[in-house]
Structures are given as structure tokens and as C-alpha cells.
Amino acid sequence: MKLVFATHNQNKVKEVQEMFPTQITLLSLNDIDCTEDIPETAHTLEGNAILKADYVFKKYGYPCFADDTGLLVDALNGAPGVYSARYAGEQRDAGDNVHKLLEELKGYAKRTARFETVIALNLNDEQHLFMGQVQGEITTKKSGQKGFGYDPIFRPKGYHQTFAELPLAIKNKISHRGKAINQLVTYLNSL
Ligand code: IMP
């Protein structure tokens, strides 16, 4: 079975590929020559994930899943949340986002946060949703070279390292997306 993962982010494809059974061929948007930026105009993670999965199924005809992730910081009342990618502006730059968050939290002792992921699967116009989250805290400075996005400043609960310092196999086991992908894989295996 060929299944599209509606993302241009090769880091995500690499993460997710490791969790998929070999009988499913995972295709990225680049693999199906979809170069456009799929609109993410909803105001919820769920809404955006559904928009992306439906867009690919309708335009390209492939079964498809899409994820949308938010980083919810307690001291900022859940910001940046659904706007995590554009937190520091439309350029969607990870370095700028990390810098802004560290500035916003300067002087805060309470730095708890969580990542939440929603995955929408569109299988021949049938919709399924899967969710995952991980609790942790925002560090006071960047550590680690692995991963992407906010990884260098997110330390999952129970660990001394940030996501950018932990091996990918551990991140996949405990992360928001890892948990949601696990549910997706379990569902696909049951078909
Ligand atoms: P998206 O919905 O996957 O595009 O993610 C929204 C924002 O959260 C982007 O700025 C991503 O870089 C960031 N993000 C998503 N997943 C992760 C992750 O696993 N670690 C760190 N940042 C992430």
C-alpha cells in the first residue's frame, strides 16, 4: 500500500519512516510532485490536519495522512499552540521561534509545556483521527544538534536531555508524534 505523509519536512519523514511497517510505502509530498504549500487556515490542530489530508486525497488521489503539532506553554496560557510554526513570523524560522520563546519566558520559574499532535488519515474519503502528547519543560538555553523545531529547548518529563540531545529511537517512543503515529500504525495493521 502506498500512503502519502502530507509534509515537505524531510526530518519528519525520517522520524516517521522508522516506525512504519515495511509493507507500507511512505511517500512525502516531494515524492508525488506536490510543491505547493497546502493552506493551514484552521484555528485548531485537528482542523489543520484534516485540511491537509483532504487536500492531498482530493487533488492527487492518494490515501494520505497529515499531522499538525503545537507546543503549549503553561506560563503563556497555551501559546504558541496552533500558531507554533509562525510564532516569530511568517518566515516560519525555527531559530527565530526558539529565540522568541526563550525571550518570552525570561525570568519565569514555571516552564512546563507540552507538545500535542493530531494526525488525520484520509483513506478513500473516510476520515480517522489519532492524537498524542508529551509533557516536559522549556529549558533556559538551547542544547543538542538533533531533531528540528523546538527540540533544542524542550526537555521531556523524566529526562535530563532535550529532544535535540536524545537518540531518535527514544524521541519516537515518547514523543507526541511518536504516540500518534503508533496509533495510526496499529490501525493500519488492523485493516
Ligand atoms: P507542524 O504542525 O508539524 O508544522 O509543527 C508546528 C511547529 O511545531 C513547527 O514550528 C515545528 O517546527 C514545531 N514542531 C513540530 N513537531 C516538533 C517536534 O517534534 N519537535 C520540535 N518542534 C516541533
Side-chain angles (χ1 to χ4, degrees), residues 86-160:
R86 287 163 276 171
Y87 188 43
E90 284 304 321
Q91 72 279 17
R92 295 165 165 252
D93 183 78
D96 293 349
N97 289 339
V98 163
H99 180 73
K100 178 169 175 182
L101 187 53
L102 288 178
E103 285 296 312
E104 294 283 339
L105 286 180
K106 245 186 192 154
Y108 277 88
K110 180 180 158 77
R111 305 180 71 91
T112 49
R114 67 183 185 280
F115 274 113
E116 282 185 10
T117 290
V118 177
I119 289 178
L121 170 68
N122 185 324
L123 264 190
N124 305 321
D125 242 357
E126 213 182 270
Q127 185 187 94
H128 302 268
L129 293 175
F130 308 91
M131 282 151 216
Q133 58 168 271
V134 59
Q135 302 282 344
E137 54 184 27
I138 305 300
T139 54
T140 51
K141 59 179 175 54
K142 295 202 267 183
S143 309
Q145 305 295 325
K146 298 191 228 303
F148 64 97
Y150 297 91
D151 278 345
I153 57 166
F154 185 85
R155 185 165 50 223
K157 196 172 175 181
Y159 289 81
H160 296 297

Side-chain angles (χ1 to χ4, degrees), residues 15 18-19 133-134 156 159 163 166-182:
E15 263 188 30
E18 301 221 344
M19 305 181 67
Q133 58 168 271
V134 59
Y159 289 81
F163 267 159
L166 287 167
L168 181 56
I170 295 186
K171 182 183 175 193
N172 274 347
K173 217 163 134 184
I174 62 173
S175 81
H176 45 303
R177 190 167 30 261
K179 289 175 188 163
I181 292 284
N182 250 324

Side-chain angles (χ1 to χ4, degrees), residues 55-77:
Y55 182 97
V56 170
F57 178 73
K58 290 204 167 77
K59 184 154 180 198
Y60 295 88
Y62 283 103
C64 174
F65 71 93
D67 73 330
D68 206 46
T69 294
L71 175 61
L72 290 80
V73 179
D74 293 323
L76 304 177
N77 296 318

